[in-house]
Amino acid sequence: MIARIGKVWRDVNATYWFLPALFAVLALVLASGTLWLDRNGFADVLNDISWIQPARPDGASNMLTVIAGAMIGVASTVFSITIAAVAYASGNYGPRLLTNFMEDRGNQFSLATFVGTFVYAITVLRTVRAEDEAPPNIEDAVATILPGFVPQLSLLVAFVLMGFSVAVLVYFLNHIPASIRINTVLEGIGERLIEDIRDIYPEENDGEVAGPAPEGSPIAARTTGYIQLIDFQRLERIARRENGKLKLAVRAGDFVHPRVVIAYWTDLDITEDLPDGEVRDCFTLGGRRTPTQDMQFLIDELVEIGLRALSPGINDPFTAVTALHWLGAATAELGRRKLVRTYAHEGEEPHLALLDDDFRHFVERGFGSLRGGVATNRIATQVAFETIIDAATTLDDETRRKVLHDEGTRLAEQAREHLSGPELLDVEARYQSFLQRIAR
């Protein structure tokens, strides 16, 4: 249940309508509060401030009408611009990046500001009363300096919100073109990937590797979809309660369907009446992959951008170079981390064994997946050698350095199949330099 609630909250928080809806409700509450202050005379102090000119009913109505009309028009324009930017980015960089743009807080905040200002202005506008209009209720009959009812404080707040909205519009017009620049897109993916690596694998590498996956009584999935969230702490508690061990057979981001094994029970005294249903409840499934626990989703995004850039139709090696740089930084961070996780308390034997992947798996997922495109371009191949070297020089584990050495050798072998002439000679020279430097 906790995992499902977390998934719902994450999904709602990442939608494009959540912040606008929240700001609309807050604007309604703010308007109700300022109108109450106006009706009860708490805003009379504004009449003593010489530089604040009190508004007349006609002027107040006109100003609020202009603000409301302008805000809903700008909100429509902002939505249209955002959709155009999303279509451009997903078409050029890959459809999986659609989630990144829809979750962009700058876009959500901009639209929410204009919607909130519109709701506030409309709410205040309906209370403005001209001089010849009778008050609709006794509360509005409170005596004021001017005939009719003009909520001076509410009007001042609307003016401030209008100024803030103009500032947000300027921010938005700068934010949209900046957010679709490929370097900005890659920076966002790369920084999030490195941050996730540090969160998922907080301990420094000590040479420990995951043991072989034991097999036992299988637990099969009952539904279809991508694994979006796994409640590891609850799985640990369930296994400890049953005095057995659980070995996961899947990870976040894997696609499962009925009868696909998701975990194994091992080291159990009994094999009957096992809480397989509780175990299944710890896995939250959905129709798409998300980067919440799926670190490999971000690696795949970098690979996808790199491969698209190196495709014959685009032929943009420098975008691939940037993707390689961020991939190299993430690989170096992984190389310094202990890639074995446990959710048992300190000093206790863990009862949950994760499907942890070793360093070679991540290298092949990143550099290995990108290798086919990189090997077709001299510039990208040379940069890949440099990136692998930079990652290797930060590692003290010779086993992991050997993994990077093997990846460089495979890249050279594949480049020989695609390049020829002077380009191949340049790559061979860089490969020889690579061998000398990685052997140090």
Side-chain angles (χ1 to χ4, degrees):
M1 181 61 68
I2 295 177
R4 291 179 180 176
I5 293 175
K7 175 185 179 299
V8 171
W9 171 247
R10 186 193 68 248
D11 290 345
V12 169
N13 201 37
T15 57
Y16 202 55
W17 58 264
F18 176 71
L19 274 186
L22 178 61
F23 274 43
V25 173
L26 293 177
L28 188 61
V29 172
L30 177 62
S32 301
T34 56
L35 287 172
W36 183 87
L37 293 174
D38 279 310
R39 287 194 180 100
N40 290 275
F42 291 100
D44 291 345
V45 66
L46 297 177
N47 297 323
D48 299 330
I49 303 176
S50 58
W51 55 272
I52 298 180
Q53 297 297 323
R56 305 289 295 185
D58 289 344
S61 297
N62 291 337
M63 190 185 87
L64 291 171
T65 301
V66 169
I67 292 176
M71 289 303 106
I72 197 64
V74 171
S76 301
T77 303
V78 165
F79 180 76
S80 301
I81 294 175
T82 302
I83 294 301
V86 166
Y88 169 82
S90 62
N92 286 273
Y93 309 144
R96 271 152 293 281
L97 291 176
L98 179 64
T99 303
N100 300 46
F101 285 91
M102 296 303 291
E103 293 180 354
D104 188 288
R105 286 301 187 196
N107 296 339
Q108 294 180 2
F109 177 77
S110 299
L111 180 61
T113 300
F114 303 132
V115 170
T117 304
F118 166 76
V119 171
Y120 181 88
I122 286 295
T123 305
V124 175
L125 176 61
R126 63 179 297 274
T127 66
V128 177
R129 191 176 68 253
E131 300 175 5
D132 56 346
E133 291 182 90
N137 53 56
I138 191 171
E139 291 183 359
D140 290 338
V142 177
T144 58
I145 296 177
L146 296 176
F149 177 69
V150 180
Q152 302 293 340
L153 176 61
S154 301
L155 207 61
L156 180 61
V157 173
F159 189 81
V160 172
L161 289 176
M162 179 197 66
F164 180 71
S165 298
V166 172
V168 171
L169 177 61
V170 174
Y171 158 78
F172 175 78
L173 295 177
N174 174 75
H175 174 73
I176 278 292
S179 65
I180 63 176
R181 286 203 302 262
I182 187 60
N183 285 348
T184 304
V185 174
L186 288 168
E187 179 185 9
I189 299 172
E191 288 183 345
R192 183 171 182 176
L193 174 57
I194 293 174
E195 182 180 350
D196 284 356
I197 292 172
R198 292 169 179 168
D199 290 340
I200 296 174
Y201 303 110
E203 300 181 27
E204 295 291 330
N205 178 37
D206 59 1
E208 181 182 354
V209 296
E215 293 188 4
S217 177
I219 305 173
R222 294 285 178 83
T223 55
T224 302
Y226 290 97
I227 298 176
Q228 297 180 337
L229 205 64
I230 303 175
D231 192 343
F232 297 109
Q233 288 84 359
R234 186 183 176 195
L235 287 172
E236 172 70 30
R237 292 195 299 268
I238 293 173
R240 185 175 299 279
R241 185 190 67 200
E242 298 298 323
N243 195 28
K245 291 187 177 181
L246 268 175
K247 173 64 181 182
L248 299 189
V250 292
R251 64 179 70 81
D254 286 351
F255 187 82
V256 299
H257 50 81
R259 297 189 179 182
V260 172
V261 177
I262 59 176
Y264 291 96
W265 283 110
T266 63
D267 297 342
L268 285 171
D269 296 331
I270 59 173
T271 58
E272 299 179 356
D273 299 327
L274 293 175
D276 291 355
E278 287 188 61
V279 173
R280 293 188 188 96
D281 290 340
C282 295
F283 294 81
T284 304
L285 274 62
R288 59 184 176 86
R289 293 174 63 187
T290 63
T292 303
Q293 288 184 347
D294 185 8
M295 185 183 65
Q296 296 178 142
F297 178 77
L298 299 172
I299 296 177
D300 292 344
E301 284 188 331
L302 292 176
V303 171
E304 179 179 11
I305 293 175
L307 290 176
R308 278 176 171 264
L310 292 169
S311 63
I314 298 178
N315 192 23
D316 179 15
F318 295 102
T319 293
V321 165
T322 306
L324 283 167
H325 287 159
W326 283 106
L327 196 59
T331 302
E333 191 67 38
L334 279 165
R336 295 191 292 268
R337 299 289 167 174
K338 177 182 177 181
L339 302 180
V340 179
R341 290 176 289 169
T342 177
Y343 289 88
H345 296 293
E346 186 175 355
E348 295 181 347
E349 180 184 359
H351 286 248
L352 175 67
L354 277 63
L355 185 61
D356 285 312
D357 299 302
D358 58 11
F359 184 66
R360 183 179 296 277
H361 168 83
F362 290 111
V363 172
E364 292 178 352
R365 186 86 181 210
F367 285 108
S369 299
L370 195 53
R371 187 194 316 132
V374 170
T376 63
N377 186 275
R378 175 184 61 84
I379 298 174
T381 302
Q382 290 178 320
V383 171
F385 283 133
E386 293 296 326
T387 303
I388 295 173
I389 281 293
D390 290 341
T393 54
T394 65
L395 307 183
D396 298 327
D397 191 323
E398 290 301 322
T399 302
R400 295 183 176 182
R401 288 173 63 93
K402 178 65 165 54
V403 171
L404 293 175
H405 173 276
D406 294 344
E407 180 57 37
T409 300
R410 293 191 185 98
L411 176 60
E413 292 174 355
Q414 196 154 355
R416 294 185 187 111
E417 297 181 3
H418 295 280
L419 302 177
S420 60
E423 287 191 335
L424 181 57
L425 293 177
D426 291 343
V427 168
E428 290 288 3
R430 188 63 60 89
Y431 175 56
Q432 294 304 318
S433 175
F434 165 85
L435 293 176
Q436 294 174 5
R437 294 171 61 186
I438 204 169
R440 296 174 184 173

